[in-house]
Amino acid sequence: MRRALSTFVACVVMSAQAAWANPQVDQLVDAMGMPALVDIFAIEGQEAGVTLDQGLLNGQGGTVFAEMVRQLYDPARLQQELRAGMADALDPDAAAQALLFFESELGARIVDLEIQARRTLMDSALESAAKSAPSAQGDAVSKLLTVRDLVERNSDTSMQARIAFVDGMAAVTGPQDTPDFDAQRDAVRTETESWLRGYYALAQSPLSADDIAIYTAFWETDVGQAVDAAVFEAFGASYTTLSFALGQAVGRLLPQNEL
């Protein structure tokens, strides 16, 4: 069992090393603060692995499952995969134009504020406070969410990850009763919108109205839309692959599949 899991993880890890990032896209990934955001995602993913172990494996996943989760959520691997995905999805000229904003004083400040806000929301109590803050309902936040279609895009990514996880389990255990994903969609969308509103309200709180207007206007440009599309394509593909792998790992270690 340990050897099979180790071999599987090695295949997933090596698949992320197959592509080379374009230098301009690579520079944009750094300017947008993605490495720091991936680090946070990795921490939360490893914490979620503990929850999966307790909830689905009766706490019996042990070091085998913990190591599987650690390797899948390895920040270096995730960053490399994201860079490769962005390089495939984004034209270098668009990346170069986007850098003009993200390497500007305002762009760099906004990225820093968003990273700070993301770290703050790792605390569940502060996350709840941010969601309930009156500013989370602000017009500026609403406009940004609409311009970037963030609620739908993030909800789609979350649903795709859920489906991939169940598919990964089924690939090991055989066909199972599948959840009613359509019934989950509204709840996922509501939770996603609540989180996004709290996050952007917190991140934008130190900014002036003009600063926020300039930031939103960037995302309305052809370049901004191209960057957003590339980010969601690259992250969505990475997250779906990761979720399928997690499902496979859980399926292999379910008590009823132990020999």
Side-chain angles (χ1 to χ4, degrees), residues 32-205:
M32 293 179 68
M34 290 188 191
L37 296 174
V38 167
D39 286 348
I40 295 168
F41 173 74
I43 292 171
E44 292 177 336
Q46 293 188 43
E47 292 174 349
V50 175
T51 302
L52 283 176
D53 188 5
Q54 295 297 323
L56 296 179
L57 301 177
N58 299 322
Q60 300 302 305
T63 58
V64 173
F65 185 66
E67 179 60 15
M68 173 70 171
V69 172
R70 188 195 69 77
Q71 291 193 41
L72 286 175
Y73 280 97
D74 174 58
R77 184 191 75 79
L78 292 172
Q79 287 182 29
Q80 187 175 38
E81 195 169 70
L82 182 61
R83 291 177 191 277
M86 286 284 290
D88 286 341
L90 186 63
D91 182 83
D93 289 340
Q97 293 179 60
L99 277 169
L100 296 176
F101 175 77
F102 284 103
E103 290 187 337
S104 70
E105 182 178 354
L106 176 60
R109 184 179 176 217
I110 289 173
V111 167
D112 185 58
L113 289 171
E114 290 186 351
I115 293 171
Q116 290 179 40
R118 190 66 184 84
R119 287 175 176 151
T120 297
L121 295 188
M122 294 176 74
D123 184 315
S124 58
L126 295 176
E127 178 184 358
S128 296
K131 288 179 181 178
S132 61
S135 58
Q137 305 301 319
D139 291 342
V141 171
S142 295
K143 183 174 181 180
L144 180 65
L145 296 185
T146 299
V147 165
R148 301 180 65 186
D149 198 20
L150 290 178
V151 175
E152 293 303 324
R153 281 173 157 168
N154 279 282
S155 297
D156 286 345
T157 299
S158 179
M159 291 304 302
Q160 289 164 7
R162 290 182 179 212
I163 293 169
F165 179 83
V166 173
D167 287 346
M169 288 184 63
V172 174
T173 64
Q176 302 284 332
D177 292 336
T178 58
D180 186 346
F181 291 113
D182 288 338
Q184 296 179 14
R185 174 76 193 198
D186 286 345
V188 168
R189 189 187 187 285
T190 297
E191 174 60 25
T192 298
E193 182 172 3
S194 176
W195 189 92
L196 286 169
R197 285 187 177 279
Y199 168 63
Y200 280 107
L202 180 62
Q204 294 182 358
S205 59

